[in-house]
Amino acid sequence: MKHRAFAAALAACLLLAGCGGEPSSAPAGSDGPAALETVDDRLTYVSRSPISIGFGAEGDAGFYYTDMSEDYSHGNIHFIDKESHQDVILCSNPGCAHDTDACPAYLGNRRPELAWTGGKVVLFYQGMDTDETKVLPHIDVMNPDGSDRHKVCDLEANQEYNGGVAASGDSLYFLLSTYEANGYSTELVRLNLTSGSLVTVCKVEKTTFLMGVACGQLIVKHFGMPEGESQLSDISEQRHILTAIDPTTGAKSTVAEWKQDEGWEVIADDKLFLFSMPNDVLHLTVRDLATGEENEYDLGIEVEEPKNIVNQTYHNGTLLFDLLSGYTEEDELISKYLAFTPETQDLREIKLCDPVRGYPILIEGELGDGVILQVPQYSGTDISSFERDRLVYCSWEDYLNSRLPE
């Protein structure tokens, strides 16, 4: 009965817009969080998430993404037009079958990750080492129409880029790990997309992720030990340390720190959005990193073990997150995909989900006033009937109201 009562209380809460109540505000001051100095106004975060660049990105005229052909024999670069929302392969050659190197959108049997910056499409290839083929990890760049695709940088065979990427003009910033016989090291690097030069900005901890950009600085997170400890006896004591890095000098400053499972963060709009669960109630702290001002929101949702947040993102002033809280009487995990807009304090549940697996349908990227969703396709009603994922344009209003386009 406890789980049933919890679910009923949560459902009742979600029917109320703005159930979080009025926020409290803590002005910046000598005792408050320090403000970040703005370094590079052009710096943007071009990754889908801190652990993945993603397979698609919005450009000036539409959304670019990579996908496999219908028979999975090869990959292609696709383009969804911003005005018509028409999805086409990025090739204007008449009669092209898009299945050979003659096609500018042909990717062979590889599916690189994709980003957009400075009016260019950027492709990130992981390395490949098989009995038949050895390919170094590398980065390509091409024009918006698919022309002039060329390699700008080869990485070493023992190197790989890690997740997040930021950009400013011709410069790409990402974490690069180098593996040796006795372990590996990680550094923040800057790649010039015109010259191909690759330089180290600074060394970072091995367990570091590029989380986003704020005030023209790179925001990274790494995991650390409690002060004075050399190893963990309890994973709950592991520290999450958020750091700002000046992209020009590599200078570092600590932004925030918390224990494992005490906070779940999003970096966007020069703000740190930090979820927490004090006294088993969902809470949000919003810190303006440019001023140090903080606002606090109690969202009014009681939480139970395992008390976790995943898939957290930010779009159009709204935080989206998957709240894992409690178990059903059948010991199944209770998961609610929620949207909270701090400015209006509107809180609602997004009920778009995979009809077979029950996973929330997540936003893959933005396109104009709407979003691109990855929608699974099935021929039947069980997992064995899965066919493929399709990218679908959806208006922002329809998405918030759990409606897919017709």
Side-chain angles (χ1 to χ4, degrees), residues 359-393:
Y359 302 152
I361 292 178
L362 303 178
I363 294 174
E364 292 295 304
E366 297 180 352
L367 180 59
D369 295 329
V371 291
I372 298 294
L373 308 179
Q374 181 173 287
V375 180
Q377 309 290 308
Y378 295 90
S379 60
T381 58
D382 58 34
I383 188 63
S384 65
S385 67
F386 174 78
E387 295 181 334
R388 64 188 303 124
D389 290 313
R390 299 286 186 187
L391 291 192
V392 174
Y393 172 85

Side-chain angles (χ1 to χ4, degrees), residues 151-212:
K151 185 187 299 182
V152 294
C153 177
D154 262 327
L155 302 176
E156 299 297 330
N158 64 335
Q159 292 180 321
E160 66 178 13
Y161 55 82
N162 293 342
V165 173
S168 174
D170 283 344
S171 295
L172 280 186
Y173 296 86
F174 55 93
L175 298 173
L176 183 66
S177 290
T178 302
Y179 294 83
E180 305 289 354
N182 58 348
Y184 73 98
S185 60
T186 303
E187 55 192 356
L188 175 67
V189 298
R190 177 174 59 246
L191 170 66
N192 186 291
L193 288 175
T194 301
S195 67
S197 64
L198 185 71
V199 298
T200 298
V201 177
C202 63
K203 299 286 188 180
V204 296
E205 300 288 337
K206 296 177 183 178
T207 54
T208 297
F209 298 90
L210 180 53
M211 306 302 297

Side-chain angles (χ1 to χ4, degrees), residues 5 11 25 28 34 60-61 66 76 88 95 110 112 160 167 194 197 200 216 233 257-258 281 330 332 342 367 373 402:
S25 176
D60 293 336
T66 64
N76 289 113
V88 298
R110 311 289 300 282
E160 66 178 13
T194 301
S197 64
T200 298
S233 57
E257 183 175 337
W258 60 90
V281 176
E330 292 76 28
E332 295 179 350
L367 180 59
L373 308 179
S402 301

Side-chain angles (χ1 to χ4, degrees), residues 85 369-371 373 392-401 403 405:
H85 307 149
D369 295 329
V371 291
L373 308 179
V392 174
Y393 172 85
C394 184
S395 74
W396 178 242
E397 181 182 3
D398 280 349
Y399 184 75
L400 287 183
N401 289 313
R403 297 193 298 258

Side-chain angles (χ1 to χ4, degrees), residues 6 35 73 156 232 237 250 253 257 272 336 341 387 396 401:
F6 166 80
S73 64
E156 299 297 330
L232 283 175
E237 294 299 311
S253 58
E257 183 175 337
L272 165 62
K336 299 286 185 181
T341 306
E387 295 181 334
W396 178 242
N401 289 313

